[in-house]
Amino acid sequence: MTVQSAGEAPPLPQAQRLVAILSDHRVLVSIAALALLPWLLPSKALAVNVLIYGVVVMGYNLLFGYTGLLSFGHAAFFGTGAYLTGIVIGRWGLPWFAAVPLAIAASTVLAAVIGTISTRTRGIYFSMVTLALAQLVYYVALQASSFTGGENGLRGFTVDHINLFGVQINFLDPLNKYYVLMSLAALAIWVQSRILNSPFGAVIEAIRENEQRARACGYDVERCKLIVFMLSGAISAVGGCMSALHLSIVPLDILHYQTSGMIVMMVLLGGARSFFGPFIGAATFLILEDVVSVWTPHWQIVVGAIFVVFVLFLPKGIWGTFLDALPAARERR
Amino acid sequence: MPSYETKLQRAGISRRTAVMGMSAGIATLAMPRLGRAADDTIRIGFPTPLTGPFAAEARDQVKCAELAVKLVNDKGGIAGRKVELLVRDDKLNAGEAATRTLELIEKDKVHAIVGALSSAVQLAVNEVTRARGVIYVSISQSDTINEVKDFSKYTFHEALNPHMTTAAVARQTIKKGMKVAHLAADYAYGHEMLRGFKRAQAAIGAESVGEILHPFGAADYSTFMPRLMSLRPDVLCISNFGRDQANAIKQAVDFGIKQQMKIVVPVILHNQRLAVGPDVFEGVVGGANYYWGLETQNKTAAEFNKAYRAANGGAIPTDYGAYGYSGVGSLLQAMQAAGGTDTDKVVAALEGLQYDLTKGPQHYRKCDHQSVQSVLVLESKKKSAMANDNDLFAIVASDPGADEMLRSCGELGHAT
């Protein structure tokens, strides 16, 4: 934030002023961009997927990009959010607006458990512990098939109408569905922005930059790591809820470590440490997959090659590289 | 001195204007979309795992489905409308399949869906189609899809199911008083086949001496073989699919299991037998929905083979491929009878349809829309008995289709 005293500051060039306004209103700008998504992409189903993975990766980015903790088990929170939404609607017969908070709460509790164990370790050990614990969640879902449907996935909780203050909305209509889910995404984006703008947001970035120094300044580093782990899990779980409502099934694969890997890939493609990066990364990955897999069954080679190029030559990702090209944006992340 | 833009932002005007502008823009964009999809082509969506471990079977299914569409189009289509097949890769992933199915219905405006090649994937596709009132003809094995929880009036199951497949195989291979051991893949397909075998052997009066589950996609079975041999069974049932089947049988042969017991599989796979050669599979007995060698005793099979050879440079259709032909073919016949694509009329036509596309008469049972059809039992030939490279199996039995083969409607939870 720049403080301007009267008449002193030189007028900013147009481009810089634009960047300044955009980043000051990043929540509104993100939501506006997402509102246009269904009209820009080839299909509504793809647009919803970008929305879902955008939110999941954004939650993950809180941990990876802003706190510098490389978790390799974020599928656990994505999947738990989805499974709990399905179980609460399908098995307990509660409406969707009860299922979503319950699912987020359950994922937060799970994040507290996994976070308590994993934040005691650092570096590669942290990644391994999160991976192992997430696989544990996967096997629980596989074995507890009376709750989760096991191998066959969870079914039988299709939401076809959403009742908003007496107005019946047809939830099977792809556009209605998109904008209802977008409201959930908007909430997650706002929460993420609030966290980052708070003093706590400054502390986690301090931990990323220099953990010893943050500790010397008197911050309780362990507690901050645990809290950010829980917040990250909760935001990623919102994506899980959206996924369950969107697909009307929960595939077991949602909990698999390949999903965790995909989340890491998306954040690296888009650019960690930036607010928009996760959405750019999710969109790039999913559009590539969608477009290339129609051309060739060997789509993974193409997507993999592009990913390698990014890791080698553009480590800041698409959005990070773009921001670096704008001098005005550099100090306004 | 706050800048001009900040003032605007504070006034809230720009936001409201932006929203109004956006809705105006969206309305304009929506205009041409309303007029779309009014052309009269009949579109059939076909999600199938073109990538992944079942890619070979998936490609066969696509070829056969395309053949069924081509034959109808060559005769002038349905009520003068051309038929188009939209193939999509579901990557053998339930979430991907659900997304593709949504795309096919919402964007491509398909009139029906046929396809999917795994239990979990077909159930995911079915969940999406039934909520939207779109007909789905499933063409891979599953018992679950017949049960009342997953059933809907739009759900049809053209493939065999594990219950009928294992019963037919057990009738030919298991005798009263025999000892039976099981090796099954630890996922839905393996579980359902295992359950089917156990039920069949209990009815016959054979004894189960043990069952071992192996992980899906396992490459090494050497740890299981000594345990299986120590059980001293007369028959070993290996219930798994794709590469797992070839690997498990190959390693069983290496351990000399065939000298002690007979190896039986629920579904003997054409492509896997081709992949590992005759010596490994020699004497293995398994079920099948189709085998090209049926042409010597069945007129329909001869016609189907002829059409397939003509379209594919002399190649022969495979077992799972035939599902693609009969799944799409029966749907198109029902559309012919209904005179178009009106969903309720096509559902009624499918329920009343008597069709014979690949191997003899078939029909969909009214209560669960399971295709009642013959089950073949095949035995893999030894190398010296093969007349040519495609002469893989001897037909041990061909049980004609009957409702008694299936679990009763009451057992599946349907109103009787």
Side-chain angles (χ1 to χ4, degrees):
Chain A
M1 301 300 293
T2 52
V3 183
Q4 293 188 349
S5 52
E8 262 185 15
L12 290 165
Q14 278 293 338
Q16 295 200 356
R17 259 196 307 188
L18 188 67
V19 169
I21 288 164
L22 288 183
S23 55
D24 281 349
H25 297 277
R26 60 190 180 187
V27 174
L28 286 176
V29 174
S30 311
I31 293 168
L34 291 177
L36 292 174
L37 212 51
W39 312 98
L40 300 173
L41 293 181
S43 78
K44 310 279 184 296
L46 178 63
V48 177
N49 266 351
V50 171
L51 196 65
I52 290 166
Y53 279 96
V55 170
V56 174
V57 177
M58 181 179 77
Y60 177 72
N61 199 29
L62 195 60
L63 192 66
F64 174 64
Y66 288 100
T67 322
L69 297 172
L70 172 63
S71 150
F72 218 87
H74 243 57
F77 314 118
F78 182 26
T80 305
Y83 268 113
L84 260 289
T85 305
I87 288 169
V88 171
I89 295 171
R91 301 274 148 96
W92 304 356
L94 293 175
W96 69 277
F97 50 81
V100 170
L102 277 170
I104 295 169
S107 303
T108 313
V109 171
L110 179 72
V113 174
I114 293 182
T116 305
I117 300 168
S118 60
T119 49
R120 291 158 184 262
T121 58
R122 21 176 103 226
I124 187 74
Y125 304 104
F126 175 82
S127 308
M128 288 296 114
V129 171
T130 49
L131 171 64
L133 292 172
Q135 280 304 94
L136 204 67
V137 177
Y138 172 87
Y139 279 103
V140 167
L142 176 65
Q143 297 302 335
S145 54
S146 56
F147 286 102
T148 61
E151 234 284 316
N152 279 335
L154 185 66
R155 311 173 303 285
F157 58 91
T158 301
V159 178
D160 47 10
H161 275 87
I162 278 196
N163 195 332
L164 269 187
F165 315 111
V167 186
Q168 288 280 335
I169 299 176
N170 176 7
F171 197 62
L172 294 182
D173 178 86
L175 264 189
N176 291 352
K177 187 162 71 175
Y178 183 86
Y179 287 111
V180 170
L181 292 177
M182 202 189 86
S183 61
L184 281 176
L187 192 69
I189 291 169
W190 178 76
V191 169
Q192 171 105 347
S193 184
R194 285 290 305 129
I195 293 169
L196 292 173
N197 282 343
S198 69
F200 177 76
V203 175
I204 58 172
E205 291 208 62
I207 293 173
R208 179 192 71 205
E209 292 305 324
N210 192 332
E211 194 178 314
Q212 302 297 343
R213 197 165 172 185
R215 191 173 278 116
C217 289
Y219 294 112
D220 186 342
V221 170
E222 279 65 35
R223 174 173 291 188
C224 285
K225 278 187 182 175
L226 177 60
I227 291 171
V228 81
F229 199 98
M230 286 163 68
L231 289 169
S232 169
I235 291 173
S236 288
V238 176
C241 302
M242 289 157 64
S243 166
L245 293 171
H246 165 54
L247 290 180
S248 68
I249 57 150
V250 182
L252 182 63
D253 295 342
I254 201 172
L255 285 168
H256 200 261
Y257 62 80
Q258 281 179 336
T259 309
S260 301
M262 199 159 84
I263 294 168
V264 178
M265 246 173 118
M266 284 174 179
V267 84
L268 289 172
L269 263 183
R273 303 192 190 184
S274 64
F275 193 79
F276 295 109
F279 286 95
I280 306 279
T284 311
F285 185 94
L286 292 167
I287 292 166
L288 269 177
E289 186 181 88
D290 194 86
V291 171
V292 180
S293 69
V294 170
W295 292 337
T296 166
H298 308 297
W299 58 275
Q300 282 166 309
I301 295 176
V302 179
V303 176
I306 291 172
F307 180 67
V308 168
V309 167
F310 265 93
V311 170
L312 288 179
F313 302 108
L314 298 168
K316 288 186 171 168
I318 298 169
W319 192 246
T321 310
F322 170 71
L323 287 184
D324 270 5
L326 296 172
R330 235 175 256 161
E331 61 273 13
R332 302 181 134 280
R333 284 290 160 88
Chain B
M1 218 171 81
S3 66
Y4 168 73
E5 285 90 344
T6 323
K7 268 194 206 153
L8 253 186
Q9 288 288 355
R10 290 222 181 104
I13 292 169
S14 64
R15 202 179 307 168
R16 201 170 308 150
T17 324
V19 170
M20 280 166 70
M22 215 185 293
S23 21
I26 286 169
T28 338
L29 280 164
M31 289 294 192
R33 278 155 199 273
L34 298 175
R36 251 189 57 197
D39 64 311
D40 64 355
T41 309
I42 294 176
R43 287 175 297 275
I44 313 284
F46 199 84
T48 191
L50 294 170
T51 47
F54 304 162
E57 279 78 16
R59 278 194 297 271
D60 289 342
Q61 291 197 327
V62 172
K63 279 184 199 152
C64 285
E66 280 171 343
L67 176 65
V69 168
K70 181 179 168 290
L71 293 180
V72 168
N73 280 340
D74 288 349
K75 287 191 189 136
I78 291 171
R81 297 162 72 180
K82 280 268 174 270
V83 182
E84 185 188 0
L85 189 76
L86 294 98
V87 179
R88 296 287 182 270
D89 183 10
D90 68 33
K91 305 185 179 113
L92 200 62
N93 172 310
E96 182 71 23
T99 303
R100 292 286 165 191
T101 306
L102 282 169
E103 266 179 17
L104 284 164
I105 294 171
E106 292 167 358
K107 178 171 146 245
D108 301 311
K109 306 273 187 282
V110 295
H111 298 96
I113 303 264
V114 182
L117 188 51
S118 109
S119 179
V121 174
Q122 66 180 291
L123 292 168
V125 172
N126 179 50
E127 200 64 28
V128 172
T129 50
R130 71 174 176 170
R132 288 160 182 76
V134 175
I135 294 172
Y136 171 47
V137 183
S138 164
I139 52 175
S140 91
Q141 294 231 8
S142 168
D143 272 332
T144 311
I145 200 163
N146 296 138
E147 290 162 15
V148 75
K149 249 176 65 184
D150 284 280
F151 176 80
S152 77
K153 72 178 236 195
Y154 308 104
T155 307
F156 289 82
H157 192 244
E158 163 61 25
L160 300 171
N161 61 35
H163 176 80
M164 64 205 285
T165 312
T166 49
V169 174
R171 257 197 305 279
Q172 300 300 330
T173 54
I174 299 174
K175 303 280 172 287
K176 193 174 163 59
M178 275 187 175
K179 291 183 187 159
V180 187
H182 296 276
L183 175 65
D186 194 2
Y187 72 109
Y189 176 92
H191 297 173
E192 289 190 355
M193 291 296 181
L194 177 62
R195 189 180 64 184
F197 270 133
K198 281 161 71 178
R199 193 169 156 152
Q201 75 195 33
I204 291 167
E207 176 199 353
S208 188
V209 290
E211 51 196 72
I212 295 176
L213 293 174
H214 74 76
F216 171 69
D220 179 18
Y221 296 83
S222 56
T223 50
F224 308 120
M225 297 306 164
R227 282 161 66 193
L228 288 165
M229 288 168 90
S230 67
L231 296 169
R232 304 214 158 276
D234 304 300
V235 175
L236 169 62
C237 300
I238 301 181
S239 301
N240 51 19
F241 194 83
R243 296 290 307 155
D244 289 4
Q245 179 175 79
N247 288 339
I249 294 176
K250 204 168 159 199
Q251 290 177 41
V253 172
D254 291 345
F255 272 82
I257 272 192
K258 270 195 205 164
Q259 281 86 45
Q260 283 189 21
M261 61 195 88
K262 188 155 190 68
I263 297 181
V264 167
V265 294
V267 179
I268 191 158
L269 293 162
H270 190 116
N271 285 333
Q272 296 309 323
R273 158 60 190 78
L274 279 181
V276 291
D279 301 340
V280 169
F281 266 75
E282 184 187 322
V284 173
V285 176
N289 59 307
Y290 186 76
Y291 172 55
W292 73 275
L294 207 58
E295 64 183 7
T296 53
Q297 49 183 285
N298 183 302
K299 198 161 70 60
T300 320
E303 283 166 14
F304 169 49
N305 288 350
K306 193 169 149 224
Y308 188 88
R309 283 190 180 110
N312 294 285
I316 46 152
T318 62
D319 41 18
Y320 266 74
Y323 283 140
Y325 185 80
S326 51
V328 173
S330 62
L331 175 70
L332 294 179
Q333 278 192 13
M335 284 180 172
Q336 292 275 26
T341 51
D342 180 275
T343 301
D344 287 345
K345 283 184 187 159
V346 178
V347 168
L350 276 165
E351 287 182 338
L353 193 67
Q354 297 288 338
Y355 59 106
D356 179 356
L357 286 159
T358 59
K359 57 180 180 180
Q362 292 180 236
H363 69 271
Y364 290 107
R365 183 164 70 162
K366 186 127 178 73
C367 77
D368 63 348
H369 292 175
Q370 167 62 40
S371 177
V372 180
Q373 58 187 297
S374 63
V375 184
L376 302 179
V377 181
L378 308 174
E379 180 165 14
S380 197
K381 289 185 172 179
K382 61 166 170 277
K383 197 167 177 169
S384 56
M386 287 168 59
N388 59 48
D389 282 352
N390 285 326
D391 186 19
L392 308 178
F393 304 124
I395 299 173
V396 177
S398 171
D399 297 355
D403 282 19
E404 294 70 59
M405 280 184 171
L406 309 175
R407 288 179 296 168
S408 70
C409 296
E411 189 189 335
L412 299 171
H414 298 282
T416 43

